[in-house]
Amino acid sequence: QVQLVESGGDLVQPGGSLRLSCAASGSIFSINAMGWYRQAPGKQRELVATITSGGAIKYADSVKGRFTISRDNAKNTVYLQMNSLQPEDTAVYYCNAVRGRYIITNYWGQGTQVTVSS
């Protein structure tokens, strides 16, 4: 009932920057939190950053100080500003939304590819 569409992935050189966007549509009411996860080849999907509807933010240790998550509630959109990108950041980045008050449901976008390479 929630659709998530990511955009902004690209090929960048080490040290470069990208900004990812995730727009939510559908049954967007009662979305408690949104965030970004990533999955590199041969690795499990891991949390990058999350932000709750109240503004609480959490980052993975590997991206603290480099990535910034933000939201625009009026546009039902979350952003991930990624600076000082390194090859280790190469992954498919997925938008996530958590919705529900009594029964919690996770929703995922299709993913957007971020490649950091010289």
Side-chain angles (χ1 to χ4, degrees), residues 48-52 54-59 67-71:
V48 177
T50 61
I51 183 168
T52 70
I57 294 173
K58 182 182 298 182
Y59 294 103
F67 292 8
T68 302
I69 189 170
S70 61
R71 75 187 196 281

Side-chain angles (χ1 to χ4, degrees), residues 43-113:
K43 295 185 177 181
Q44 294 184 337
R45 187 174 300 184
E46 64 177 352
L47 179 146
V48 177
T50 61
I51 183 168
T52 70
S53 60
I57 294 173
K58 182 182 298 182
Y59 294 103
D61 289 341
S62 59
V63 307
K64 287 181 179 177
R66 299 189 297 122
F67 292 8
T68 302
I69 189 170
S70 61
R71 75 187 196 281
D72 186 337
N73 287 337
K75 297 181 178 180
N76 300 308
T77 300
V78 296
Y79 306 93
L80 185 68
Q81 178 66 47
M82 305 186 295
N83 299 324
S84 302
L85 284 162
Q86 299 299 129
E88 308 87 78
D89 298 314
T90 295
V92 177
Y93 284 70
Y94 296 92
C95 184
N96 168 259
V98 179
R99 177 181 178 270
R101 180 171 177 82
Y102 304 106
I103 299 176
I104 305 301
T105 303
N106 275 314
Y107 298 90
W108 297 93
Q110 291 296 116
T112 185
Q113 177 71 50

